Amino acid sequence: MPFLLNTNTGQLRCSHCGRVIIGQPIVVKTCCVNKPWVFCSEACYNAFLRQWLRNQEAHRGSNALRKGYL
């Protein structure tokens, strides 16, 4: 699950949508990506989080198929 990091960053663009960040960014790091992701808004972060969770569920389901659980 992603967790919030310190918001001090030198990056000026959102990692998800590419917009220029004017205010205080939202910085998170996931367990599978080795670099922090920077977001311009709460809505952009929520969109990323929905997609990230969907991908995690897809990986979990494919492992069950490979192991013969289904």
Side-chain angles (χ1 to χ4, degrees):
M1 191 69 185
F3 57 93
L4 292 172
L5 295 177
N6 187 351
T7 58
N8 296 334
T9 182
Q11 188 171 350
L12 299 175
R13 293 205 172 263
C14 179
S15 299
H16 185 68
C17 69
R19 277 187 261 171
V20 175
I21 300 172
I22 296 171
Q24 189 76 332
I26 300 170
V27 183
V28 297
K29 184 179 180 321
T30 65
C31 58
C32 52
V33 178
N34 204 18
K35 66 175 188 127
W37 281 63
V38 181
F39 299 98
C40 58
S41 66
E42 191 72 31
C44 196
Y45 171 64
N46 288 335
F48 163 79
L49 190 58
R50 280 192 302 273
Q51 184 64 41
W52 187 83
L53 288 172
R54 190 176 303 130
N55 290 344
Q56 296 305 308
E57 291 298 320
H59 288 298
R60 188 173 304 160
S62 66
N63 287 340
L65 290 175
R66 264 189 253 140
K67 292 180 182 178
Y69 292 135
L70 296 177

